[in-house]
Amino acid sequence: MEGKKIERLAEEALKARSFSYVPYSGFAVGAALLTAQGEIITGCNIENSSYSATNCAERTAIFKAVSEGKKDFAAIAVAGGRAGEMPEDFCPPCGICRQVLSEFCSPDLYVYLIKSEKEIRCCQLKDLLPMAFHLDKD
Ligand code: THU
């Protein structure tokens, strides 16, 4: 993908972190999903006192998009680290988010891990989740 577009996606993922609701972990994650039509849909992590009810940033973005009829994705950017600070490291998606991404995205989906607008690591969904589980669809 073109450099400027990736930087824009990185910026949106970093910005989305400011909406994270993280009173328990203090770890704010932002995600920015790019549709094939060029639209960006963002998400943040939303925690819950019943910890397992927490929703990750990537799933927030995917569920927002799918619930609005958008299911054709080209890339996702993810940024995470201590709330109120720039990320200290790259934050790869957790296993559950990889599985949810693989439900809706091609194995070729670009996944950009964001430390800052300028420190970006690129991989693809198939690198993060080889031999993904799928059921046949009706
Ligand atoms: N988290 C995400 O938002 N995305 C991931 O892929 C990994 C983990 C969130 C969940 C929880 O709110 C916090 O990070 C610490 O696990």
Side-chain angles (χ1 to χ4, degrees):
M1 240 169 73
E2 182 199 318
K4 280 268 168 273
K5 275 194 186 166
I6 300 170
E7 274 180 39
R8 171 82 209 292
L9 206 59
E11 251 175 50
E12 292 297 327
L14 288 163
K15 254 201 277 176
R17 293 182 65 228
S18 65
F19 301 117
S20 291
Y21 175 74
V22 289
Y24 306 106
S25 73
F27 192 86
V29 184
L33 196 56
L34 180 69
T35 69
Q37 289 69 36
E39 192 182 344
I40 294 176
I41 294 137
T42 60
C44 63
N45 53 336
I46 303 167
E47 297 186 344
N48 194 282
S49 55
S50 177
Y51 294 170
S52 61
T54 291
N55 209 57
C56 289
E58 299 90 321
R59 276 178 288 143
T60 302
I62 280 269
F63 294 150
K64 276 176 68 182
V66 174
S67 70
E68 293 170 5
K70 295 153 198 164
K71 278 191 287 200
D72 200 359
F73 306 114
I76 187 168
V78 184
R82 275 216 294 266
E85 297 173 19
M86 278 301 278
E88 282 176 8
D89 209 344
F90 296 104
C91 175
C94 78
I96 298 172
C97 289
R98 293 176 196 203
Q99 180 66 27
V100 170
L101 285 168
S102 95
E103 181 70 29
F104 295 103
C105 308
S106 138
D108 297 327
L109 179 87
Y110 287 107
V111 181
Y112 295 103
L113 308 179
I114 312 299
K115 209 164 137 182
S116 69
E117 281 94 339
K118 299 285 171 201
E119 292 168 286
I120 298 174
R121 191 174 286 174
C122 175
C123 54
Q124 287 183 289
L125 186 56
K126 62 189 170 198
D127 307 318
L128 298 175
L129 191 65
M131 286 179 71
F133 174 77
H134 289 119
L135 283 180
D136 289 340
K137 295 173 189 165
D138 289 336

